[in-house]
Amino acid sequence: MKSILRSIAACTSLFILLDGCIRQDHQPSIQKPACQVLMLTVDSKTSGPDAYSRDETVMLDGQTIKIGKTATDVYKFDEQNRIIESSWATYNYGGNGGKEKFEYTADQVIITSTHLGMDNGVHPLPLNKQGLLLWDGLKYDAEGFLIEKVEGNDTITYTIENGNIVREERKTTLPVARTYVSLYEYDLTKPNLPNSHPYSGKVSKNLLVKVTTTDGTNMTGSYSYSYLFDESKGLTRKYQKLSNGYYVVYDYTITCR
């Protein structure tokens, strides 16, 4: 079951930058207007100690930085823009990896997992009429955006404006009652990347550039994402400088059908 939890955690996270439910309503910035996505590859890299080997030199924020891979995720899609296969590999701490295949019925997505040293099995997940996960505690709007999620003692609600999630409110009761609010800012001139797990709900159509979190009184965190573009390819790299001075970097490659 670990693989399913990994998959669901990834696809319900805001920071995975997902898109629509069954069909996309915009083109990712990396692809040509006529391109239908066949495959999305995401290479995760870092300048920190988690890198398997810092063997790449890049210029970020005017600095020369050494980075190396930590993981690769590959997503394959059918002609309806649904995910049909995903695979992942990690390179540090001995490495690991696995694969998931997705089959669809009218009311289910059936995930077959094959993971090294982890979960192996077949996991049917119920879908609603929108083709989205049908679980207790999940609520969607008419457009297919996830607008409420209950996780244990936490209730999380999302505010949508002009196709982007602009506010997340998390109310928790343990250990004390508290409300955290995250505000999201976007580059409205840049469309988002392809949806890696469309059955988890539609989210922001533009590229996320900043997140600010408060506890209702004080700001508890703020961070920004920056992007590098290739004139012929569009978006190719996203990076963030962490508070400890290290960088995390994501490289994107899209293969058209």
Side-chain angles (χ1 to χ4, degrees), residues 25 92 167 224 233 248:
D25 61 0
N92 49 0
R167 187 177 189 272
S224 301
K233 297 179 180 179
V248 289

PDB file of all heavy atoms in Angstrom, residues 25 92 167 224 233 248:
ATOM      1  N   ASP A  25      -7.423  21.923 -20.612  1.00  0.00           N
ATOM      2  CA  ASP A  25      -8.032  23.067 -21.275  1.00  0.00           C
ATOM      3  C   ASP A  25      -7.012  24.138 -21.613  1.00  0.00           C
ATOM      4  O   ASP A  25      -7.354  25.254 -21.934  1.00  0.00           O
ATOM      5  CB  ASP A  25      -9.159  23.657 -20.424  1.00  0.00           C
ATOM      6  CG  ASP A  25      -8.651  24.156 -19.083  1.00  0.00           C
ATOM      7  OD1 ASP A  25      -7.447  24.058 -18.812  1.00  0.00           O
ATOM      8  OD2 ASP A  25      -9.492  24.638 -18.303  1.00  0.00           O
ATOM      9  N   ASN A  92      20.081   8.298  -4.813  1.00  0.00           N
ATOM     10  CA  ASN A  92      20.866   8.401  -3.597  1.00  0.00           C
ATOM     11  C   ASN A  92      20.500   7.284  -2.626  1.00  0.00           C
ATOM     12  O   ASN A  92      19.499   6.573  -2.796  1.00  0.00           O
ATOM     13  CB  ASN A  92      20.677   9.772  -2.934  1.00  0.00           C
ATOM     14  CG  ASN A  92      19.214  10.134  -2.805  1.00  0.00           C
ATOM     15  OD1 ASN A  92      18.330   9.384  -3.207  1.00  0.00           O
ATOM     16  ND2 ASN A  92      18.947  11.300  -2.245  1.00  0.00           N
ATOM     17  N   ARG A 167      -5.663  30.386  -2.593  1.00  0.00           N
ATOM     18  CA  ARG A 167      -5.651  30.361  -1.133  1.00  0.00           C
ATOM     19  C   ARG A 167      -5.923  28.956  -0.626  1.00  0.00           C
ATOM     20  O   ARG A 167      -6.804  28.263  -1.122  1.00  0.00           O
ATOM     21  CB  ARG A 167      -6.721  31.312  -0.580  1.00  0.00           C
ATOM     22  CG  ARG A 167      -6.705  31.521   0.929  1.00  0.00           C
ATOM     23  CD  ARG A 167      -7.766  32.547   1.311  1.00  0.00           C
ATOM     24  NE  ARG A 167      -7.687  32.960   2.695  1.00  0.00           N
ATOM     25  CZ  ARG A 167      -8.314  32.330   3.708  1.00  0.00           C
ATOM     26  NH1 ARG A 167      -9.073  31.270   3.439  1.00  0.00           N
ATOM     27  NH2 ARG A 167      -8.190  32.771   4.948  1.00  0.00           N
ATOM     28  N   SER A 224       9.833  31.227  -3.008  1.00  0.00           N
ATOM     29  CA  SER A 224       9.552  31.543  -4.403  1.00  0.00           C
ATOM     30  C   SER A 224      10.163  30.501  -5.323  1.00  0.00           C
ATOM     31  O   SER A 224      11.166  29.854  -4.980  1.00  0.00           O
ATOM     32  CB  SER A 224      10.117  32.924  -4.759  1.00  0.00           C
ATOM     33  OG  SER A 224       9.563  33.928  -3.943  1.00  0.00           O
ATOM     34  N   LYS A 233      11.947  25.624 -26.908  1.00  0.00           N
ATOM     35  CA  LYS A 233      11.262  24.551 -26.189  1.00  0.00           C
ATOM     36  C   LYS A 233      10.272  25.047 -25.155  1.00  0.00           C
ATOM     37  O   LYS A 233       9.391  24.308 -24.730  1.00  0.00           O
ATOM     38  CB  LYS A 233      12.288  23.651 -25.493  1.00  0.00           C
ATOM     39  CG  LYS A 233      13.230  22.927 -26.429  1.00  0.00           C
ATOM     40  CD  LYS A 233      14.212  22.075 -25.644  1.00  0.00           C
ATOM     41  CE  LYS A 233      15.177  21.343 -26.559  1.00  0.00           C
ATOM     42  NZ  LYS A 233      16.148  20.543 -25.792  1.00  0.00           N
ATOM     43  N   VAL A 248      17.091  23.412  -5.089  1.00  0.00           N
ATOM     44  CA  VAL A 248      16.417  22.259  -5.669  1.00  0.00           C
ATOM     45  C   VAL A 248      16.012  22.647  -7.084  1.00  0.00           C
ATOM     46  O   VAL A 248      15.574  23.775  -7.331  1.00  0.00           O
ATOM     47  CB  VAL A 248      15.189  21.813  -4.844  1.00  0.00           C
ATOM     48  CG1 VAL A 248      15.617  21.193  -3.535  1.00  0.00           C
ATOM     49  CG2 VAL A 248      14.250  22.981  -4.580  1.00  0.00           C
TER      50      VAL A 248
END
